[in-house]
Amino acid sequence: MDTVELLILLIGSLAVTGFARAKGLPAPLLVTAVALAASFLPGLPHIEIDSEIILTVVLPPLLYSAALDVSWQSFQTSIKQIRRLGILLVIVTALAVGAAAYFLIPDMTWPAAILLGAIVAPPDAVSAAAIGRKLGLPRRVMTVLSGESLINDAASLTLVRVFTLIIAGASLTIWQDLGIFALAIGVGLVVGIVLGVLVHWIRMRINDPVVETIMSILLPFVAYVLAEDLSGSGVIAVVTAGLYIGYNSPKEGYATRLQERPLWTSIDVILEGFVFALIGLQLNSVVQDLVESERSLGQVVTAAAVVLAVVILVRPAFVFESYVRNRFNGRWLRPLRIKLSRGHRSLRWMRGSAEPKLNWRELTVISWTGMRGVVTLAAAVSVVASPTKIPAQDTIFVIAFFVTVGTLLLQGLTLPFVIRALKVQDPAEGEEDIRSEMRLNQRTTEAAIELLDKRRPDWAQQFGQEAVDTVVNRLKLRLERQAETFRRDAEEEESEERNAPVRLRGSQIQDIRRELLDRRREIVLEERERGNLDEEVMRRVLVTLDAEELAMDSAQASRSRS
């Protein structure tokens, strides 16, 4: 891909993404559909995909950005569900797909068949997360989906590595296979933690938002490449570093946080559009390869359709089997383990830990979020470009592409309908978030008032009694007014809940506040045009208004984010 083709692809994908966002459509699906249609335009050059670029340039920032937004507390709470979906389901899917491919494709060996299964095993949560946030999926569901997407790529790519070695002639025992997994996870965790701690330590001391942001941009690439060079999982390293930085970001300067959030959002939009456009543009070349192939066209299409069906059906079967088994464990086995563990402290490990309960509607949504994406595409391309002779090499790529596009269109297009039909929303969660914000604002304001009273004598000795009294009294009066406002808002909120049959939703209030901010900006510009306002003063006022709107948008996003 030359520079001109890259620019055209980026601009085209961004244009389609912008249109989709403006119309409230799922951008990844629309970009893929447009690219699929564009792939048959006459004269369109064939765009080659470099798997190394996808894995080292596109994947790390997408994973890192997602990890920054994941709540570490929620991640810990849902770790059992995330681990089952992100690791065990990947293995089960790889084996199921491998069995189907082995019996459907004549020259397919068992290692090559499981390699295909590992390639198509990991779902890509980009489009699912976008749809879920837009439709207000409960936080516990979004946490599971986001957490799964952070670790399933590592499991899939490690399986690909193992079975590529086996196909190349390496005789690996089951213990050696497990050793490769353990090494990948261990090295990835160590690299991610060390780099995360180091970057956080530096950012706490330099107080330079520009340099801190550049360090954040470089971190996922350094973590991925370093971990891979040490035979570890670059995915685990990036995710670990992102979780650590995200958890500790409140300790860093506010300017860095304000600068990084829109930057990472912009990077996500560009890279996601780029990847899904690449997926769609491969359709023409895949069709040509099928026509020119010596294999039976019907045989390959049949195998691809069966693998797609297996990929789609294995997920709900696994999700609900886990649900039934956990219900049985929770009702019978866990009470028994708790009873046995009361006899001695050393047996407390038998109790296990409870995990968030998900109802059948939420599990149905989770089971239908199996769209494949960037990792499946990159892994399939790496197989085609591999110097190792892999059985049914061309067929593996065709099937992987078929599964990626099929899941994007079948599940991606119907997922909003499934969410709406099952009514998997939790309006009370948003209301509780608002009340929590009010309580927190009130508590922080009251704590600030207490600090003023406590520190007044010290400041008086240092700066003079009269000067300190003037400033402290003014600040205290302002804070008391704020505390009173928070209390009044909370009381009005509760009163409206009890008495008002109809009231404005949070998004409607946000629209009104945004309209007021727009009007204030218009006044600023009018004063500038009349010559009554200096440009420097105008910029400072606009920064204040922008910060107010950013805080409003961030609060709204935090209530819908996993």
Side-chain angles (χ1 to χ4, degrees):
M1 184 187 307
D2 60 29
T3 305
V4 175
E5 291 174 347
L6 177 61
L7 286 175
I8 293 174
L9 185 59
L10 288 173
I11 293 171
S13 61
L14 184 60
V16 176
T17 299
F19 175 81
R21 291 165 67 92
K23 298 298 182 180
L25 302 172
L29 303 182
L30 187 62
V31 171
T32 303
V34 172
L36 285 170
S39 67
F40 288 99
L41 291 177
L44 188 74
H46 174 62
I47 297 178
E48 295 286 345
I49 300 176
D50 188 334
S51 63
E52 285 300 313
I53 291 179
I54 297 281
L55 292 176
T56 59
V57 176
V58 176
L59 183 60
L62 287 175
L63 288 171
Y64 182 78
S65 176
L68 288 177
D69 279 343
V70 169
S71 164
W72 173 243
Q73 294 171 328
S74 300
F75 186 86
Q76 283 182 305
T77 303
S78 303
I79 189 62
K80 288 186 176 180
Q81 296 160 322
I82 292 170
R83 191 171 57 222
R84 279 198 301 271
L85 294 176
I87 299 177
L88 190 55
L89 179 56
V90 168
I91 297 173
V92 170
T93 303
L95 294 175
V97 169
Y102 178 77
F103 290 108
L104 287 170
I105 302 170
D107 57 337
M108 183 74 78
T109 62
W110 270 113
I114 298 177
L115 175 64
L116 169 61
I119 290 171
V120 300
D124 181 33
V126 170
S127 50
I131 294 170
R133 278 194 293 267
K134 182 178 178 60
L135 296 180
L137 280 180
R139 184 176 292 112
R140 56 187 175 273
V141 176
M142 292 297 296
T143 296
V144 172
L145 293 177
S146 301
E148 177 197 3
S149 70
L150 294 179
I151 64 175
N152 61 11
D153 295 341
S156 169
L157 293 174
T158 305
L159 276 177
V160 169
R161 181 186 304 174
V162 169
F163 283 93
T164 302
L165 288 173
I166 294 174
I167 293 171
S171 299
L172 300 177
T173 66
I174 186 65
W175 295 109
Q176 289 172 318
D177 293 340
L178 293 175
I180 293 174
F181 266 94
L183 180 64
I185 294 172
V187 171
L189 287 173
V190 171
V191 170
I193 291 174
V194 169
L195 289 178
V197 170
L198 178 62
V199 168
H200 174 64
W201 184 85
I202 295 174
R203 284 169 37 134
M204 287 289 288
R205 284 157 178 79
I206 60 177
N207 193 27
D208 187 333
V210 175
V211 176
E212 293 174 44
T213 302
I214 293 174
M215 291 179 68
S216 180
I217 293 174
L218 293 177
L219 178 56
F221 302 107
V222 175
Y224 187 90
V225 172
L226 181 58
E228 290 291 323
D229 286 346
L230 296 175
S231 299
S233 169
V235 172
I236 293 292
V238 172
V239 168
T240 304
L243 287 172
Y244 186 89
I245 294 295
Y247 182 77
N248 288 284
S249 64
K251 303 174 186 176
E252 299 170 358
Y254 78 94
T256 303
R257 291 194 298 274
L258 290 177
Q259 189 164 274
E260 281 186 344
R261 182 176 294 277
L263 174 66
W264 280 113
T265 302
S266 302
I267 291 174
D268 285 347
V269 169
I270 292 174
L271 293 181
E272 289 165 8
F274 173 75
V275 169
F276 286 106
L278 274 181
I279 292 173
L281 289 174
Q282 302 311 302
L283 178 61
N284 192 9
S285 61
V286 169
V287 171
Q288 289 180 2
D289 291 342
L290 272 177
V291 173
E292 297 170 1
S293 173
E294 297 179 356
R295 296 178 183 277
S296 165
L297 181 62
Q299 183 185 63
V300 175
V301 171
T302 301
V306 171
V307 169
L308 174 61
V310 171
V311 165
I312 291 177
L313 295 175
V314 163
R315 186 175 177 88
F318 181 90
V319 167
F320 281 98
E321 184 276 334
S322 300
Y323 172 71
V324 172
R325 177 163 39 83
N326 288 330
R327 284 289 299 270
F328 175 77
N329 289 341
R331 178 171 295 183
W332 302 103
L333 295 186
R334 192 161 186 266
L336 178 60
R337 291 199 301 265
I338 291 174
K339 186 175 181 180
L340 292 173
S341 67
R342 288 173 183 162
H344 199 275
R345 287 185 178 181
S346 62
L347 298 177
R348 286 185 179 176
W349 60 270
M350 296 177 62
R351 297 187 182 187
S353 58
E355 57 187 59
K357 288 183 172 56
L358 300 174
N359 59 46
W360 70 269
R361 292 183 178 87
E362 294 166 340
L363 290 172
T364 301
V365 170
I366 289 175
S367 69
W368 200 243
T369 54
M371 292 82 83
R372 270 54 179 175
V374 55
V375 172
T376 295
L377 176 70
V381 173
S382 70
V383 167
V384 174
S386 173
T388 303
K389 180 59 179 175
I390 297 174
Q393 202 167 20
D394 54 341
T395 306
I396 287 176
F397 177 77
V398 171
I399 293 176
F401 176 83
F402 191 91
V403 169
T404 301
V405 174
T407 53
L408 280 172
L409 297 181
L410 288 176
Q411 295 180 305
L413 291 176
T414 56
L415 182 59
F417 171 78
V418 172
I419 294 174
R420 293 192 183 99
L422 296 178
K423 298 180 180 178
V424 187
Q425 288 105 4
D426 189 358
E429 186 175 79
E431 300 299 330
E432 178 56 33
D433 285 348
I434 293 174
R435 287 191 289 271
S436 296
E437 287 179 22
M438 290 180 178
R439 289 194 297 268
L440 182 59
N441 285 328
Q442 182 178 344
R443 179 71 187 92
T444 56
T445 304
E446 291 171 351
I449 294 173
E450 293 174 4
L451 179 64
L452 284 176
D453 291 332
K454 181 180 178 180
R455 295 279 287 150
R456 183 197 291 259
D458 297 334
W459 289 329
Q461 287 184 351
Q462 187 175 358
F463 305 116
Q465 186 71 48
E466 184 176 352
V468 167
D469 284 344
T470 301
V471 172
V472 168
N473 289 338
R474 185 170 67 245
L475 291 174
K476 189 173 180 180
L477 179 62
R478 185 183 303 170
L479 289 169
E480 287 173 344
R481 287 174 179 169
Q482 290 178 357
E484 178 60 30
T485 299
F486 292 137
R487 280 194 293 270
R488 187 169 59 250
D489 287 347
E491 291 171 358
E492 290 176 357
E493 184 81 14
E494 293 176 0
S495 175
E496 287 177 359
E497 271 191 11
R498 289 192 302 266
N499 304 321
V502 180
R503 61 193 185 95
L504 293 181
R505 297 193 303 271
S507 60
Q508 295 170 327
I509 297 174
Q510 300 287 54
D511 291 340
I512 294 174
R513 292 179 62 189
R514 190 169 286 108
E515 192 170 332
L516 295 177
L517 286 170
D518 289 340
R519 179 54 185 156
R520 292 167 68 184
R521 288 192 186 95
E522 290 175 5
I523 297 298
V524 171
L525 294 178
E526 288 174 6
E527 289 297 305
R528 194 270 305 271
E529 296 301 325
R530 292 172 182 165
N532 299 332
L533 190 62
D534 185 80
E535 288 274 353
E536 291 297 323
V537 176
M538 179 201 73
R539 291 193 183 98
R540 287 199 294 270
V541 174
L542 285 179
V543 166
T544 302
L545 296 177
D546 293 345
E548 184 177 343
E549 186 165 10
L550 177 62
M552 180 177 66
D553 290 341
S554 298
Q556 184 179 17
S558 68
R559 289 191 287 270
S560 61
R561 185 183 299 115
S562 162

